[in-house]
Amino acid sequence: MAESTTPPAPPPGVLFDVDGTLIDSSYIHTIAWWGAFRQYGHDVPMAAIHQLVGMGGARLVDTLLPDGRNQDEDEDIMASHGALYASHWPSLRALDGAKDLLGQCHAGGLAVALASSARERDLQVMRSVLEADAFIDAATSANDAKESKPAPDILEAALEAVGVEAANAVYVGDAVWDMKAAGALGIPAIGLTCGGIHAAQLREAGAVEVYDGPRHLLQNLGSSAIGRLLALQPHR
């Protein structure tokens, strides 16, 4: 009689936000939203917009515009933002160390997922800019979530895509909304300030650690929350 074998335990995983975390796009989104609002007669300060980048588009519009507005225009404003953002696609750049960080996590045996709520076509462009598909096991877009950040839907979709439990995951993001979404699932969140949000704000929102950007996190990977996941992996 053949001995029964226990299936291997699924690997721990790291989920990454993309906009402002791996791609230097937070301020491009700010300008695109500012222009979209202006097209429909709304003069919204860029600083107010930037604080909400990373939140879902519908939530962002609803938060920044007055209750008495013509809400029938909201979809048009979001479409305008998308078109203005797309005009900046040629300017998109990966943040320093982004590809190397994904590669190191992959080499350490961790499942790697992009937990992005970007539009599918924007995500494809950003993936081409990253040039790191060999290190990415799964990726989500706005199509994969009913509710946008700070709701945790997109993180749940990413976890499911790579077969990782929340208890065995770490999330890396640059926005307050990333920290809150991870906190809703009990996932330790690492904050990066490269998206323009201050470390104190990220910590207040629940970040367990804060680094300047992907390169800074990579340089401290062993002592980070991701390093603790790496330590759980068998030596190769």
Side-chain angles (χ1 to χ4, degrees), residues 121-136:
R121 57 179 179 165
D122 289 333
L123 179 62
Q124 292 305 318
V125 170
M126 291 190 290
R127 288 185 69 162
S128 70
V129 171
L130 278 173
E131 297 182 331
D133 276 357
F135 311 135
I136 297 168

Side-chain angles (χ1 to χ4, degrees), residues 100-112 134-135 230 233-234 236:
D100 294 339
L101 176 60
L102 296 174
Q104 192 62 43
C105 290
H106 176 79
L110 304 181
V112 175
F135 311 135
L230 290 169
Q233 292 298 92
R236 298 188 172 193

Side-chain angles (χ1 to χ4, degrees), residues 92-196:
L92 293 178
R93 297 291 182 271
L95 286 155
D96 179 44
K99 180 178 180 179
D100 294 339
L101 176 60
L102 296 174
Q104 192 62 43
C105 290
H106 176 79
L110 304 181
V112 175
L114 303 183
S116 172
S117 54
R119 298 177 308 165
E120 181 62 34
R121 57 179 179 165
D122 289 333
L123 179 62
Q124 292 305 318
V125 170
M126 291 190 290
R127 288 185 69 162
S128 70
V129 171
L130 278 173
E131 297 182 331
D133 276 357
F135 311 135
I136 297 168
D137 297 299
T140 63
S141 70
N143 297 337
D144 299 303
K146 181 178 179 182
E147 295 289 337
S148 61
K149 298 170 188 173
D153 297 26
I154 204 71
L155 276 69
E156 291 177 316
L159 289 171
E160 183 176 355
V162 289
V164 172
E165 298 290 332
N168 296 321
V170 169
Y171 184 51
V172 183
D174 71 295
V176 164
W177 323 110
D178 295 320
M179 306 301 107
K180 290 183 178 294
L185 298 179
I187 298 175
I190 295 175
L192 303 183
T193 59
C194 47

Side-chain angles (χ1 to χ4, degrees), residues 19-37:
D19 273 305
T21 299
L22 300 174
I23 298 290
D24 194 4
S25 56
S26 289
Y27 291 94
I28 294 176
H29 274 297
T30 299
I31 292 170
W33 280 117
W34 180 80
F37 287 135

